Amino acid sequence: MRTTPETAADNTMPAKTVPAVGVPSAPPLPADLEALLRRLRLPHVRRHAPEVVATAKAQRWEPVEILKALLVEEVAGRERSALATRRSAAGFPTGKTFAAWQPELSSILAPTQQALRTLEWVHRRENLVVCGPSGTGKTFLLEALGQQAVEQGLRVAWFTLEDLGVLLRRHRADDTVTKAIARVLRADLVVVDDIGLLAVAADAAEGLYRLVDAAYEKRSIAVSSNLHPSAFDELMPKTLATATVDRLLHHAHICQTTGDSVRLTQALAGQGVSPLA
């Protein structure tokens, strides 16, 4: 049976029909054809064309099968590049995903975890507030949700309060704060992590308010905090805190974590390091 791109997709056939890049039997493309592919900005077709052509010749593919195989490679390559770009632009702190998440260790109810992972709340432009003691998985959960959003084609921006303060100071001098916040809100989901760990500077408090106000009913914001938002007036002026929390919580899902620090528990059990040789 002759292998084609269609039969390769069948579960009963080998998963890969195109030889790996660098196979000696695949001669390079003619210079004029490579130049055309460069002008058309088809880098993934250009990269895989020699192997696809060699395979097609050996297995007597139809011309339409060759075209399909090349376009499949181009689409897949562009999707990989776009994913890498979105992930880099997000600025995630550690790279944690749900692959390492242990749902049974979280005090958040399993059905709630599953509902959050659908990301329907992001598409509805709703907010998420995860608050509770340090070490109970708040940042891990938000980063995993952010990574999943990126994988689904959404844009994510990750901030701390200190980052917002820096952003405000940088753009206040030339009166471009509003434009800077608008650029941040090109993301579908904006995460503000670790509110309440440190004293909040005036610039950071103002930056949080400006962000929440500009995003209200237009974009989703997710925050993690050691404090419930009702206690934000302990961190910033009461008037500013009230206005911020009012907008943040109006369309928000609130998840409160409880229990001991997972990090401390693992450390005390000897799971925080690899055994010494």
Side-chain angles (χ1 to χ4, degrees):
M1 179 177 177
R2 182 163 61 90
T3 303
T4 70
E6 286 81 2
T7 59
D10 194 317
N11 290 335
T12 62
M13 298 299 296
K16 189 173 183 179
T17 61
V18 179
V21 176
V23 174
S25 61
L29 296 175
D32 57 345
L33 178 55
E34 181 160 347
L36 284 172
L37 292 174
R38 287 182 182 275
R39 289 184 63 185
L40 290 172
R41 297 180 181 178
L42 298 172
H44 307 288
V45 168
R46 179 164 47 85
R47 182 178 305 114
H48 292 281
E51 286 74 30
V52 170
V53 171
T55 300
K57 183 177 181 180
Q59 298 184 3
R60 299 182 182 180
W61 288 6
E62 296 293 332
V64 69
E65 296 167 350
I66 302 173
L67 181 60
K68 180 178 179 180
L70 290 173
L71 292 179
V72 165
E73 292 291 354
E74 184 65 31
V75 169
R78 290 189 181 195
E79 288 178 348
R80 289 192 299 270
S81 297
L83 173 59
T85 298
R86 290 194 303 273
R87 182 168 283 136
S88 175
F92 294 119
T94 64
K96 290 179 179 177
T97 69
F98 279 117
W101 175 255
Q102 296 176 278
E104 69 279 2
L105 296 182
S106 175
S107 58
I108 299 173
L109 296 176
T112 301
Q113 294 185 45
Q114 289 300 319
L116 291 174
R117 291 182 65 169
T118 67
L119 300 179
E120 291 180 6
W121 56 280
V122 177
H123 295 290
R124 293 194 298 260
R125 299 178 179 86
E126 295 169 350
N127 299 329
L128 173 63
V129 176
V130 184
C131 51
S134 180
T136 52
K138 302 185 301 296
T139 297
F140 194 151
L141 177 61
L142 291 191
E143 183 169 4
L145 287 170
Q147 293 277 4
Q148 185 159 311
V150 162
E151 290 166 6
Q152 292 188 13
L154 300 175
R155 293 167 295 181
V156 178
W158 187 281
F159 288 89
T160 64
L161 274 180
E162 290 72 25
D163 294 332
L164 291 177
V166 171
L167 180 73
L168 203 72
R169 290 192 296 273
R170 183 187 305 143
H171 292 277
R172 178 175 279 142
D174 56 0
D175 197 26
T176 57
V177 173
T178 300
K179 291 182 179 179
I181 295 294
R183 284 194 294 271
V184 170
L185 292 179
R186 291 174 184 171
D188 302 286
L189 172 63
V190 181
V191 182
V192 183
D193 188 35
D194 276 344
I195 297 174
L197 280 181
L198 300 172
V200 179
D203 287 336
E206 181 183 343
L208 179 62
Y209 166 74
R210 283 177 173 267
L211 176 67
V212 171
D213 180 55
Y216 179 65
E217 296 186 336
K218 298 183 182 70
R219 288 291 186 273
S220 288
I221 292 181
V223 304
S224 72
S225 174
N226 283 34
L227 297 174
H228 188 279
S230 61
F232 277 10
D233 56 2
E234 298 177 15
L235 304 173
M236 61 183 75
K238 184 176 180 60
T239 302
L240 200 59
T242 300
T244 301
V245 172
D246 179 65
R247 290 161 176 76
L248 177 66
L249 296 190
H250 185 205
H251 304 297
H253 302 275
I254 304 176
C255 298
Q256 291 188 267
T257 60
T258 58
D260 298 327
S261 167
V262 175
R263 289 187 290 264
L264 182 58
T265 300
Q266 291 177 343
L268 294 176
Q271 299 172 353
V273 294
S274 299
L276 295 174

XYZ file of all heavy atoms in Angstrom, residues 165-229:
491
model
N 4.036 49.447 39.000
C 4.614 50.700 39.468
C 5.686 51.217 38.530
O 5.741 52.418 38.216
N 6.539 50.308 38.063
C 7.590 50.686 37.112
C 6.972 51.201 35.816
O 7.419 52.209 35.245
C 8.509 49.486 36.836
C 9.464 49.788 35.681
C 9.302 49.109 38.088
N 5.942 50.507 35.335
C 5.269 50.925 34.106
C 4.714 52.339 34.247
O 4.857 53.173 33.340
C 4.143 49.938 33.793
C 3.304 50.212 32.538
C 4.120 49.905 31.289
C 2.023 49.392 32.544
N 4.096 52.608 35.388
C 3.494 53.922 35.603
C 4.565 55.018 35.626
O 4.421 56.063 34.986
C 2.706 53.929 36.910
C 1.598 54.977 37.022
C 0.432 54.605 36.119
C 1.126 55.099 38.463
N 5.637 54.783 36.359
C 6.695 55.793 36.451
C 7.350 56.045 35.093
O 7.680 57.187 34.753
C 7.752 55.353 37.469
C 7.269 55.385 38.907
C 8.427 55.236 39.875
N 9.091 53.939 39.742
C 8.714 52.834 40.384
N 7.647 52.849 41.178
N 9.373 51.711 40.226
N 7.512 54.999 34.321
C 8.183 55.129 33.025
C 7.384 56.006 32.071
O 7.960 56.756 31.269
C 8.381 53.751 32.413
C 9.147 53.751 31.072
C 9.152 52.365 30.460
N 9.691 51.395 31.393
C 9.240 50.140 31.513
N 8.215 49.729 30.794
N 9.796 49.316 32.359
N 6.060 55.939 32.145
C 5.222 56.640 31.166
C 4.579 57.919 31.715
O 3.962 58.649 30.957
C 4.142 55.689 30.638
C 4.684 54.569 29.810
N 4.968 54.711 28.469
C 5.022 53.290 30.148
C 5.434 53.572 28.002
N 5.489 52.691 28.992
N 4.753 58.159 32.998
C 4.155 59.371 33.561
C 4.881 60.615 33.059
O 4.256 61.665 32.840
C 4.190 59.320 35.078
C 3.632 60.566 35.740
C 3.578 60.412 37.242
N 2.405 59.660 37.660
C 2.383 58.769 38.652
N 3.484 58.485 39.307
N 1.273 58.154 38.978
N 6.180 60.518 32.857
C 6.976 61.689 32.478
C 6.484 62.310 31.172
O 6.466 63.546 31.032
C 8.445 61.301 32.352
N 6.105 61.471 30.203
C 5.641 62.020 28.926
C 4.132 61.863 28.759
O 3.610 61.957 27.638
C 6.377 61.375 27.750
C 6.237 59.855 27.746
O 5.578 59.312 28.658
O 6.777 59.209 26.832
N 3.427 61.597 29.856
C 1.963 61.543 29.862
C 1.421 60.500 28.884
O 0.472 60.751 28.140
C 1.391 62.921 29.534
C -0.083 63.039 29.928
O -0.498 62.312 30.845
O -0.807 63.837 29.294
N 2.034 59.297 28.901
C 1.571 58.221 28.010
C 1.090 57.010 28.803
O 1.073 55.898 28.289
C 2.706 57.787 27.058
O 3.848 57.366 27.834
C 3.111 58.917 26.129
N 0.682 57.235 30.056
C 0.242 56.118 30.893
C -0.981 55.436 30.290
O -1.064 54.208 30.231
C -0.075 56.604 32.327
C -0.704 55.479 33.135
C 1.194 57.105 33.010
N -1.932 56.222 29.823
C -3.150 55.652 29.250
C -2.832 54.779 28.048
O -3.393 53.685 27.890
C -4.132 56.771 28.837
O -4.469 57.549 29.984
C -5.402 56.182 28.237
N -1.924 55.248 27.195
C -1.534 54.459 26.028
C -0.810 53.181 26.446
O -1.006 52.116 25.842
C -0.629 55.291 25.110
C -1.349 56.434 24.408
C -0.409 57.176 23.482
C -1.139 58.318 22.761
N -0.226 59.070 21.865
N 0.005 53.278 27.494
C 0.733 52.098 27.967
C -0.227 51.043 28.511
O -0.076 49.843 28.236
C 1.743 52.499 29.041
N -1.223 51.481 29.273
C -2.221 50.541 29.794
C -3.009 49.920 28.643
O -3.330 48.726 28.658
C -3.171 51.254 30.773
C -2.405 51.717 32.024
C -4.327 50.341 31.166
C -1.880 50.606 32.884
N -3.318 50.716 27.626
C -4.044 50.190 26.469
C -3.240 49.115 25.756
O -3.805 48.113 25.285
C -4.383 51.331 25.506
N -1.923 49.286 25.691
C -1.079 48.254 25.064
C -1.090 46.977 25.890
O -1.123 45.875 25.336
C 0.346 48.781 24.894
C 0.509 49.756 23.738
C 1.969 49.971 23.393
N 2.687 50.635 24.465
C 2.789 51.961 24.587
N 2.199 52.751 23.705
N 3.468 52.492 25.585
N -1.058 47.111 27.217
C -1.133 45.926 28.075
C -2.433 45.166 27.814
O -2.451 43.932 27.754
C -1.045 46.331 29.566
C -1.358 45.141 30.463
C 0.332 46.901 29.889
N -3.511 45.911 27.614
C -4.819 45.289 27.457
C -5.080 44.765 26.054
O -6.197 44.358 25.734
C -5.916 46.279 27.858
C -5.932 46.614 29.355
C -7.030 47.613 29.667
C -6.107 45.352 30.189
N -4.049 44.717 25.233
C -4.158 43.941 24.000
C -4.197 42.451 24.323
O -4.650 41.648 23.511
C -2.979 44.249 23.083
C -2.997 45.667 22.500
C -1.729 45.966 21.726
N -1.698 47.353 21.244
C -0.636 47.927 20.686
N 0.483 47.224 20.530
N -0.698 49.173 20.271
N -3.705 42.107 25.500
C -3.776 40.710 25.958
C -5.216 40.371 26.312
O -5.987 41.224 26.750
C -2.862 40.497 27.157
N -5.562 39.101 26.133
C -6.897 38.633 26.508
C -7.005 38.412 28.011
O -8.088 38.518 28.583
C -7.204 37.321 25.781
C -7.123 37.467 24.268
O -8.048 38.065 23.700
O -6.131 37.000 23.669
N -5.879 38.088 28.634
C -5.833 37.834 30.072
C -4.614 38.519 30.665
O -3.492 38.314 30.195
C -5.757 36.323 30.344
C -5.505 35.882 31.788
C -6.659 36.317 32.694
C -5.300 34.378 31.866
N -4.830 39.348 31.684
C -3.733 40.012 32.386
C -3.679 39.456 33.805
O -4.690 39.469 34.520
C -3.928 41.540 32.422
C -2.746 42.207 33.140
C -4.073 42.101 31.008
N -2.524 38.972 34.207
C -2.333 38.393 35.535
C -1.510 39.352 36.390
O -0.483 39.859 35.935
C -1.616 37.032 35.458
C -1.464 36.433 36.852
C -2.377 36.077 34.544
N -1.975 39.598 37.601
C -1.203 40.378 38.579
C -0.964 39.467 39.772
O -1.893 39.071 40.466
C -1.952 41.658 39.011
C -1.071 42.466 39.977
C -2.338 42.501 37.798
N 0.282 39.144 40.009
C 0.638 38.094 40.965
C 1.152 38.664 42.290
O 1.783 39.722 42.330
C 1.718 37.204 40.339
C 2.016 35.972 41.169
O 1.076 35.427 41.787
O 3.180 35.540 41.192
N 0.857 37.920 43.365
C 1.431 38.158 44.693
C 1.098 39.518 45.300
O 1.964 40.202 45.849
C 2.960 37.966 44.651
C 3.350 36.510 44.795
O 2.484 35.710 45.221
O 4.502 36.174 44.489
N -0.148 39.914 45.223
C -0.574 41.130 45.908
C -0.620 40.848 47.408
O -1.146 39.826 47.836
C -1.966 41.579 45.420
C -1.910 41.919 43.934
C -2.481 42.763 46.224
C -3.271 42.230 43.328
N -0.058 41.743 48.184
C -0.123 41.601 49.631
C 1.135 41.085 50.286
O 1.233 41.094 51.515
N 2.107 40.646 49.498
C 3.348 40.152 50.101
C 4.219 41.295 50.589
O 4.877 41.189 51.621
C 4.125 39.302 49.086
C 3.648 37.856 48.889
C 4.541 37.154 47.875
C 3.646 37.093 50.210
N 4.243 42.366 49.827
C 5.092 43.511 50.165
C 4.243 44.770 50.281
O 3.110 44.822 49.782
C 6.159 43.714 49.071
C 7.120 42.554 48.818
C 7.972 42.838 47.585
C 7.996 42.299 50.036
N 4.796 45.766 50.941
C 4.114 47.055 51.014
C 3.908 47.602 49.604
O 4.769 47.460 48.737
C 4.943 48.030 51.838
N 2.760 48.206 49.373
C 2.414 48.685 48.040
C 2.783 50.157 47.914
O 2.266 51.005 48.652
C 0.911 48.489 47.759
C 0.556 49.014 46.368
C 0.543 47.011 47.881
N 3.679 50.456 46.975
C 4.046 51.847 46.730
C 2.883 52.567 46.057
O 2.014 51.944 45.442
C 5.289 51.906 45.852
N 2.894 53.896 46.144
C 1.806 54.694 45.578
C 1.667 54.467 44.082
O 0.549 54.357 43.557
C 2.043 56.178 45.875
N 2.801 54.374 43.370
C 2.750 54.150 41.925
C 2.136 52.797 41.601
O 1.359 52.666 40.644
C 4.155 54.235 41.320
C 4.683 55.652 41.273
O 3.852 56.588 41.270
O 5.907 55.835 41.240
N 2.475 51.771 42.374
C 1.937 50.441 42.126
C 0.436 50.401 42.388
O -0.330 49.780 41.634
C 2.655 49.418 42.998
N -0.007 51.053 43.460
C -1.437 51.095 43.770
C -2.207 51.798 42.661
O -3.269 51.332 42.224
C -1.653 51.797 45.101
N -1.677 52.911 42.187
C -2.332 53.628 41.096
C -2.333 52.794 39.817
O -3.318 52.762 39.077
C -1.637 54.964 40.837
C -2.297 55.776 39.730
C -1.558 57.078 39.422
O -0.735 57.516 40.249
O -1.827 57.643 38.336
N -1.214 52.091 39.580
C -1.127 51.244 38.392
C -2.164 50.130 38.411
O -2.782 49.824 37.383
N -2.375 49.527 39.581
C -3.384 48.476 39.692
C -4.772 49.037 39.413
O -5.573 48.426 38.684
C -3.332 47.845 41.081
C -4.364 46.738 41.344
C -4.154 45.565 40.393
C -4.282 46.272 42.804
N -5.071 50.196 40.004
C -6.384 50.799 39.765
C -6.575 51.112 38.284
O -7.629 50.810 37.692
C -6.559 52.081 40.580
C -7.745 52.879 40.090
C -9.053 52.451 40.375
C -7.564 54.011 39.302
C -10.139 53.153 39.889
C -8.653 54.720 38.813
C -9.938 54.273 39.104
O -11.016 54.952 38.604
N -5.580 51.734 37.668
C -5.709 52.099 36.251
C -5.929 50.862 35.381
O -6.739 50.873 34.447
C -4.468 52.861 35.786
C -4.401 54.322 36.234
C -3.097 54.954 35.767
N -3.031 56.378 36.005
C -3.391 57.322 35.136
N -3.890 56.956 33.962
N -3.267 58.606 35.439
N -5.214 49.793 35.694
C -5.349 48.563 34.920
C -6.749 47.975 35.076
O -7.415 47.632 34.086
C -4.296 47.554 35.373
C -4.372 46.168 34.713
C -4.038 46.269 33.229
C -3.423 45.195 35.410
N -7.207 47.839 36.318
C -8.523 47.257 36.580
C -9.625 48.123 35.975
O -10.591 47.609 35.388
C -8.740 47.076 38.096
C -10.178 46.674 38.397
C -7.768 46.035 38.640
N -9.485 49.432 36.094
C -10.488 50.333 35.553
C -10.563 50.233 34.036
O -11.658 50.174 33.453
C -10.164 51.764 35.975
C -11.180 52.767 35.454
O -12.384 52.584 35.715
O -10.775 53.728 34.768
N -9.407 50.208 33.378
C -9.392 50.159 31.911
C -9.873 48.799 31.387
O -10.442 48.719 30.295
C -7.980 50.449 31.400
N -9.648 47.746 32.162
C -10.028 46.406 31.724
C -11.483 46.071 32.017
O -12.008 45.081 31.485
C -9.136 45.373 32.406
N -12.134 46.865 32.829
C -13.483 46.560 33.308
C -14.436 46.243 32.156
O -14.665 47.064 31.278
C -14.007 47.733 34.140
C -15.404 47.538 34.675
C -15.688 46.532 35.599
C -16.446 48.356 34.255
C -16.976 46.351 36.094
C -17.734 48.182 34.753
C -17.991 47.176 35.661
O -19.267 46.993 36.137
N -14.942 45.012 32.164
C -15.889 44.495 31.173
C -15.319 44.456 29.757
O -16.058 44.272 28.785
C -17.204 45.296 31.201
C -17.949 45.148 32.532
C -19.315 45.808 32.533
O -19.527 46.750 31.730
O -20.176 45.377 33.328
N -14.001 44.605 29.623
C -13.355 44.530 28.309
C -12.330 43.405 28.232
O -12.150 42.787 27.176
C -12.659 45.853 27.974
C -13.576 47.055 27.863
C -12.777 48.278 27.455
C -13.665 49.531 27.391
N -14.113 49.978 28.718
N -11.634 43.139 29.317
C -10.617 42.090 29.364
C -10.706 41.364 30.696
O -11.265 41.880 31.672
C -9.207 42.689 29.214
C -8.874 43.197 27.822
C -8.745 42.056 26.822
N -8.281 42.521 25.530
C -9.076 42.968 24.560
N -10.387 43.034 24.774
N -8.585 43.355 23.404
N -10.110 40.182 30.757
C -10.077 39.409 31.999
C -8.804 39.709 32.772
O -7.713 39.788 32.179
C -10.143 37.911 31.700
O -11.425 37.539 31.260
N -8.950 39.870 34.073
C -7.810 40.042 34.965
C -7.844 38.925 35.999
O -8.904 38.601 36.543
C -7.850 41.415 35.666
C -7.621 42.535 34.646
C -6.793 41.499 36.763
C -7.609 43.914 35.252
N -6.705 38.326 36.241
C -6.575 37.317 37.289
C -5.531 37.802 38.285
O -4.449 38.259 37.881
C -6.159 35.969 36.702
N -5.852 37.748 39.558
C -4.905 38.194 40.580
C -4.740 37.116 41.635
O -5.666 36.342 41.911
C -5.356 39.516 41.254
C -5.574 40.606 40.228
C -6.614 39.308 42.081
N -3.557 37.042 42.182
C -3.320 36.212 43.367
C -2.936 37.131 44.506
O -2.259 38.141 44.303
C -2.206 35.191 43.108
O -0.939 35.821 43.043
N -3.403 36.797 45.700
C -3.169 37.681 46.839
C -3.176 36.891 48.139
O -3.933 35.927 48.283
C -4.249 38.767 46.893
O -4.122 39.550 48.058
N -2.331 37.324 49.066
C -2.383 36.758 50.420
C -3.588 37.270 51.188
O -3.983 36.680 52.187
C -1.103 37.113 51.185
C 0.062 36.247 50.760
O 0.171 35.867 49.603
N 0.935 35.920 51.698
N -4.148 38.381 50.712
C -5.303 38.993 51.363
C -6.540 38.865 50.493
O -6.457 38.884 49.257
C -5.042 40.476 51.625
C -3.896 40.842 52.568
C -3.706 42.344 52.571
C -4.159 40.330 53.972
N -7.688 38.753 51.119
C -8.939 38.851 50.374
C -9.047 40.297 49.872
O -8.613 41.236 50.559
C -10.119 38.514 51.292
C -11.426 38.407 50.575
N -12.170 39.524 50.232
C -12.116 37.325 50.125
C -13.264 39.133 49.603
N -13.260 37.801 49.531
N -9.613 40.516 48.686
C -9.710 41.892 48.177
C -10.397 42.865 49.128
O -10.117 44.075 49.087
C -10.523 41.709 46.891
C -10.190 40.338 46.435
C -10.045 39.519 47.690
